[in-house]
């Protein structure tokens, strides 16, 4: 695929907090991180992340900074036009900004890293944008025996601060430039999740700015302690998604099984080195039989190797089923290089996926230090894209694999194949392992027995009109894969709904979702009524809302 088209597709992929974007982009200079401060993260931590000047910064359309702040979302399809942008550096400033917006009747949205796939932040109805990007401190809070992270910190900055300061990490996304703020709220998964679980499985507490029924804004700290009167607010932030209940101004992380007060023992240890690999098959060598065998093998391998005790619990991989016009299909991943049999296991895995295909892949691999593998922060150029997603409990059915081939590799000119000038891909991202050792009701993440995440994507250059063909192709592709369940991944033996951090407004469109299963069941399953009750308690005025937000109960 051409470089312009490749860039537009990967710009969307770079927002996938749990994908291989970071694996495929070596050599990028790391951004500077906020200093790691020991002690309680109050004024000192806020000062560490604060830009020049003090106090709340509020600016409007005529300010030279306005364009940069309203166009920093990674999806170039959307650009907001709020009346005001509030640039905040402390919890107190967030309270002030929210209170001002409520008083003036403004529609509120919040941005941290800027990687929302839909226009939840950049919707035309949003008139007060609260930008938390200056809030980037990462520190150890001795009073809570937990690591405090502000929402504007990028994942790469968090990894760097935790590793250099204490040798620890959190299991979060593979894309270093994604912001913590929204990533954690949807569950947060990535390269270490099969080994250590989700980000929210290590979430001890959240500080949230909420608005009560009288319209008064205030900050609340909620913890995972079941006796905490605010415990339900903590639970809602362990997979309930962003933009629903308030604005998180601080996260605290601590392994629920950790004991003592030694910071170096309160979160998982980061691997010293990672074995990164990429196996590539040329589309010219793959007919439909070979493609089918490849996809079957991959799915079957994950069916048998995704238990919490799997010897491959340290494996993270992404199977990039790129459309034929891209030229190749790739299987990229990482293993802990400090294990004595890492290279043998890599070869066994790649061989198992390629067994009986009849075409051998080109295989490259190298050993990289941990920070080089995960903490390389870049600023992706915004580009227009669309993403759709689904969880897999088992491999695709044979009918579904036929549909995959028809849309990704169908003969040129056929009604289903990728149209000329359109690029698209399906990424199958590793899941399971320790993620599936947690009870479904322990957090708001309801999907706790899946083995893979499927991510369908397309991208384009130019105005929204240029996306007509790519969008039509992607929607037809997705609808065909899930044709047996009304065009969407209804929870059943194979599928298990979708991932709220990859939001897709199409799921709420009755023309595209004909299953009779509402969008919120696809994301939250049986958890939705509980989330509604929490919404009613903590955001009774529905100040925090978007196209797929939790609705107050009627």
């Amino acid at each position: 695929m051409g470089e312009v088209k490749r860039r537009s597709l990967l710009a969307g992929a770079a927002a996938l907090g749990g994908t291989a974007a970071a694996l495929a982009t070596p050599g990028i200079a790391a951004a500077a991180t906020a200093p790691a401060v020991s002690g309680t993260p109050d004024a000192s931590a806020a000062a560490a992340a604060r830009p020049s000047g003090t106090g709340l910064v509020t600016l409007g359309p005529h300010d030279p900074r306005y364009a940069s702040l309203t166009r920093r979302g990674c999806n170039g399809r959307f650009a907001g036009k709020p009346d005001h942008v509030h640039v905040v550096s402390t919890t107190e400033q967030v309270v002030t900004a929210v209170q001002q917006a409520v008083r003036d009747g403004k529609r509120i949205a919040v941005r941290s890293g800027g990687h929302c796939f839909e226009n939840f932040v950049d919707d035309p109805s949003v008139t007060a944008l609260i930008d938390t990007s200056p809030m980037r401190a990462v520190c150890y809070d001795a009073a809570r025996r937990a690591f405090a992270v502000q929402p504007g910190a990028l994942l790469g900055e968090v990894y760097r601060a935790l590793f250099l300061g204490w040798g620890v990490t959190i299991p979060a996304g593979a894309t270093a430039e994604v912001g913590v703020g929204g990533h954690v709220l949807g569950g947060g998964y990535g390269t270490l999740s099969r080994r250590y679980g989700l980000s929210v499985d290590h979430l001890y507490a959240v500080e949230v700015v909420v608005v009560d029924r009288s319209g008064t804004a205030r900050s609340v700290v909620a913890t995972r302690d079941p006796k905490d009167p605010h415990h339900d607010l903590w639970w809602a932030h362990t997979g309930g998604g962003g933009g629903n209940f308030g604005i998180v101004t601080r996260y605290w992380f601590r392994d629920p099984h950790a004991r003592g007060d030694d910071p170096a023992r309160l979160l998982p240890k980061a691997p010293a080195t990672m074995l990164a690999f990429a196996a590539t098959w040329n589309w010219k060598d793959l007919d439909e039989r070979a493609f089918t065998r490849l996809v079957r093998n991959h799915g079957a391998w994950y069916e048998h190797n995704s238990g919490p005790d799997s010897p491959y619990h340290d494996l993270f991989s992404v199977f990039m089923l790129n459309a034929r016009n891209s030229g190749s299909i790739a299987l990229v991943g990482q293993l802990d290089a400090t294990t004595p049999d890492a290279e043998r296991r890599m070869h066994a895995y790649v061989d198992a996926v390629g067994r009986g295909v009849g075409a051998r892949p080109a295989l490259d691999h190298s050993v990289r230090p941990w920070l080089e593998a995960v903490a390389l922060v870049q600023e992706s150029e915004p580009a227009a894209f669309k993403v759709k997603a689904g969880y897999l409990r088992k491999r695709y059915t044979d009918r579904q694999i036929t549909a995959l081939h028809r849309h990704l590799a169908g003969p040129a000119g056929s009604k289903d194949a990728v149209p000329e000038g359109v690029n698209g891909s399906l990424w199958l991202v590793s899941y399971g392992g320790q993620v599936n050792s947690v009870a479904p009701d322990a957090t708001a993440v309801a999907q706790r027995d899946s083995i893979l995440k499927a991510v369908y994507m397309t991208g384009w250059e130019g105005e929204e009109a240029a996306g007509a063909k790519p969008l039509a192709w992607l929607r037809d592709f997705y609808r065909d894969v899930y044709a047996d369940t009304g065009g969407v991944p209804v929870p059943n033996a194979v599928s298990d709904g979708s991932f709220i951090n990859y939001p897709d407004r199409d799921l709420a469109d009755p023309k595209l979702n004909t299953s009779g299963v509402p969008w919120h069941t696809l994301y939250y399953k049986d958890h939705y009524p509980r989330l509604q009750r929490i919404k009613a308690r903590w955001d009774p005025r529905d100040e925090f809302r978007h196209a797929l937000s939790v609705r107050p109960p009627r």
Side-chain angles (χ1 to χ4, degrees):
M1 107 180 27
E3 180 57 32
V4 170
K5 296 184 181 299
R6 179 179 184 276
R7 186 175 70 249
S8 66
L9 183 58
L10 290 183
L16 305 179
T19 67
L23 304 180
T25 53
I28 301 167
T33 67
V37 182
S38 180
T40 304
D42 292 323
S44 59
R50 186 178 300 165
S52 60
T54 59
L56 175 65
V57 177
T58 298
L59 51 92
H62 299 295
D63 190 287
R65 295 165 290 183
Y66 181 87
S68 294
L69 290 168
T70 55
R71 295 181 179 274
R72 52 180 291 259
C74 75
N75 196 339
R77 295 176 64 190
F78 312 116
K81 295 181 180 180
D83 296 340
H84 298 100
V85 179
H86 303 285
V87 184
V88 293
S89 300
T90 68
T91 298
E92 293 73 22
Q93 290 176 12
V94 176
V95 171
T96 300
V98 170
Q99 190 65 76
Q100 180 178 320
V102 171
R103 182 197 65 210
D104 296 340
K106 302 292 186 181
R107 173 79 176 272
I108 301 169
V110 61
R111 172 175 282 148
S112 57
H115 288 85
C116 184
F117 289 175
E118 295 285 9
N119 67 337
F120 297 170
V121 176
D122 295 314
D123 188 277
S125 65
V126 170
T127 49
L129 174 60
I130 299 176
D131 191 302
T132 66
S133 58
M135 302 178 69
R136 303 174 86 147
V138 179
C139 61
Y140 177 62
D141 182 348
R144 288 195 168 91
R145 296 176 42 250
F147 291 90
V149 180
Q150 292 184 314
L154 305 185
L155 292 179
E157 298 171 343
V158 176
Y159 297 146
R160 180 174 293 275
L162 292 178
F163 182 67
L164 295 183
W166 301 275
V168 299
T169 191
I170 56 173
T175 307
E177 66 184 276
V178 167
V180 170
H183 177 76
V184 172
L185 297 180
Y189 82 107
T191 58
L192 295 179
S193 287
R194 282 169 53 89
R195 187 173 191 174
Y196 295 129
L198 302 176
S199 301
V200 294
D201 298 337
H202 301 264
L203 183 63
Y204 170 71
V206 287
E207 180 180 59
V208 192
V209 174
V210 296
V211 179
D212 66 19
R213 192 172 298 278
S214 71
T216 301
R218 62 190 175 102
S219 64
V220 177
V221 173
T223 75
R224 68 174 170 228
D225 183 351
K227 298 179 181 179
D228 183 347
H230 304 149
H231 178 74
D232 63 342
L233 186 62
W234 167 86
W235 187 87
H237 286 83
T238 62
N244 281 310
F245 309 99
I247 298 176
V248 176
T249 55
R250 192 171 292 131
Y251 296 95
W252 284 269
F253 295 96
R254 186 177 76 219
D255 190 309
H257 305 294
R259 298 294 181 267
D261 55 7
D262 180 357
R265 296 178 180 273
L266 298 180
L267 281 177
K269 289 289 184 183
T273 54
M274 300 298 290
L275 173 64
F277 64 89
T280 306
W281 287 265
N282 194 309
W283 260 113
K284 294 179 180 178
D285 301 326
L286 300 175
D287 56 14
E288 184 171 0
R289 182 207 65 83
F291 175 88
T292 299
R293 183 64 180 264
L294 200 59
V295 178
R296 278 182 187 162
N297 287 350
H298 177 265
W301 189 94
Y302 274 95
E303 286 182 359
H304 294 96
N305 291 277
S306 292
D309 299 323
S310 168
Y312 280 88
H313 69 286
D314 62 328
L315 172 70
F316 172 79
S317 77
V318 183
F319 197 20
M320 300 176 175
L321 299 177
N322 306 313
R324 181 183 291 276
N325 60 13
S326 74
S328 64
I329 287 173
L331 179 65
V332 302
Q334 296 181 348
L335 287 154
D336 183 349
T338 63
T339 58
D341 60 346
E343 190 167 336
R344 178 195 65 76
R345 290 187 297 125
M346 175 198 68
H347 283 290
Y349 169 58
V350 174
D351 289 346
V353 173
R355 187 168 294 123
V357 171
R360 294 191 62 82
L363 177 62
D364 294 317
H365 62 89
S366 62
V367 174
R368 300 176 183 173
W370 166 249
L371 285 183
E372 182 181 323
V374 301
L376 304 175
V377 178
Q378 63 173 327
E379 290 292 336
S380 291
E381 179 183 348
F385 64 87
K386 175 67 176 179
V387 170
K388 303 174 77 66
Y391 286 94
L392 285 172
R393 283 173 154 160
K394 294 182 179 179
R395 73 167 180 84
Y396 285 118
T397 66
D398 288 348
R399 187 207 67 78
Q400 288 178 311
I401 295 175
T402 298
L404 299 185
H405 186 268
R406 181 163 57 245
H407 290 271
L408 292 170
S414 72
K415 69 180 182 63
D416 297 318
V418 181
E420 183 178 354
V422 172
N423 61 106
S425 187
L426 164 61
W427 287 9
L428 297 174
V429 187
S430 59
Y431 206 60
Q434 286 298 319
V435 173
N436 294 347
S437 69
V438 176
D441 61 352
T443 68
V445 177
Q447 293 85 356
R448 291 288 186 170
D449 64 355
S450 298
I451 61 173
L452 292 163
K453 280 188 178 178
V455 188
Y456 309 76
M457 65 187 84
T458 188
W460 61 91
E461 298 287 330
E463 301 299 324
E464 184 73 1
K469 283 187 177 180
L471 279 171
W473 170 80
L474 186 67
R475 286 168 173 156
D476 287 345
F477 181 18
Y478 192 76
R479 187 164 48 240
D480 197 0
V481 172
Y482 301 110
D484 296 334
T485 53
V488 296
V490 171
N492 58 23
V494 175
S495 300
D496 202 20
S498 192
F499 180 39
I500 191 59
N501 266 7
Y502 300 164
D504 177 10
R505 290 178 299 167
D506 291 353
L507 298 186
D509 186 340
K511 295 179 181 178
L512 299 174
N513 175 2
T514 60
S515 68
V517 177
W519 65 266
H520 49 77
T521 299
L522 298 176
Y523 288 122
Y524 301 120
K525 300 175 67 173
D526 294 338
H527 289 343
Y528 189 64
R530 182 176 179 183
L531 290 168
Q532 286 185 293
R533 292 192 295 272
I534 298 171
K535 174 77 168 181
R537 178 185 177 189
W538 292 102
D539 185 25
R541 297 162 56 97
D542 199 23
E543 296 287 352
F544 303 98
R545 62 191 187 274
H546 51 70
L548 296 178
S549 60
V550 174
R551 308 289 196 257
R554 294 180 179 177

